[in-house]
Amino acid sequence: MDLTRRNFVKVCGLGLAGAGTVALVGCGGETAEQPAEEGGDAAATGNAAKPVIFFNRQPSNSTTGELDMDTLTFNENTYYVGFDATQGGDLQGEMVLAHIKAHAAELDRNGDGIIGYVLAVGDIGHNDSIARTRGTRKALGTAVEQDGNIVSDPVGTNTDGSSTLVVDGKVTADDGKEYIIRELASQEMKNQSGATWDAATAGNAIGTWASSFGDQIDVVVSNNDGMGMSMFNAWSKENGVPTFGYDANSDAVAAIAEGYAGTISQNPAVQAYLTLRLLRNVFDGADINTGIATEDDAGNVIAEADYVYNEDERSYYAMNIAVTAENYEQYLDATTLYSTAQSQLDESAHPNKSVWLDIYNAADNFLSATYQPLLEKYDDLLNLTVEYIGGDGQTEANITNRLGNPDQYDGFAINMVKTDNGASYTSLLA
């Protein structure tokens, strides 16, 4: 099964969750739509008029997923940069399903005709985590719908298939035999201090599950690679159980050679570039898509297939890519710059500007080992002096308390602890 980005988009669609029309930037030969300079306070001045880019955590209600448009329209220079969470979650699920269909007989370790999987949930209130859980359950046929949405709650333990939050799925393997697919267990990986997406918690969880029903576990699925690698190293590598993650962190991609089954690249080079590029364009008074949809004066540009812009959501989304044994060698260095966005801007035409940027959790593997190193490469290319603030992953105040003098910065890039808390930042600028 070919799970390249282009074929997935062609077959499955973009899957953006917003209510508005998605503007495909140049997709299929259509005319690229420019971001509308609407919303926000047209009369804003001072800090309230400076560009604000939210990234990685989209301002939204952590319970319903509804976007926080008050934050996203804080001013005319406010945007979000992330990736298409629904497309990525669906792609992860399809990757897992393709592996099961191709290897079902050898995966069924105890020969009971049931392909049992366990699922590490990152953060039950995070849109990306929700999308990945839903994508896995949808692809594997274990999903239960409620009020028109797939239930994304963890099931706890479900070894007997009695949970009301999931159902048993069925799959016909490539060898023609039919198997049941069952979500044996899932839990939110939150530590005692309240930090979510916690790798150590995931490592402990797989140990507990393995002790209780290890011979039933045929596949391990994780909402990210940090948790996935913790479970892989703690148990599934030694036991030959395929483990799937998300983020394409360098250690996870390298581990594919050792049995880690696959991961999803968020196209981090595109995300990091867009995060700082949008600021650069506002600073320069340039069209917002300069160096993105159209080449800048140094030749930087992003291919139309690698991102979309949703005008109604004021959000740029990078497209995800499945990374498996077939293509992992291309993704061994997650901090490689985007191939056509590596050229230095002339500082005389693009004078240096100061940016305040925070990472919600300095210990987060993807953000600290992939995203920030990419940002640090791009800030030089784009003539930006960036102050990087590392949070504790638990409290917004740990970050906002360090934005005591916004006057000294020309713009802001914000990675929130919780998606609900956009006003905690914008109120400091208003």
Side-chain angles (χ1 to χ4, degrees), residues 276-299:
L276 297 182
R277 183 78 225 195
L278 294 172
L279 290 168
R280 180 75 264 174
N281 288 343
V282 175
F283 296 148
D284 292 345
D287 180 276
I288 200 64
N289 273 324
T290 301
I292 302 172
T294 58
E295 288 190 9
D296 63 16
D297 49 14

Side-chain angles (χ1 to χ4, degrees), residues 197-226:
W197 305 86
D198 189 64
T201 302
N204 291 333
I206 193 66
T208 299
W209 291 333
S211 296
S212 299
F213 47 88
D215 66 343
Q216 295 177 256
I217 303 173
D218 303 312
V219 176
V220 175
V221 184
S222 174
N223 282 173
N224 77 354
D225 281 332

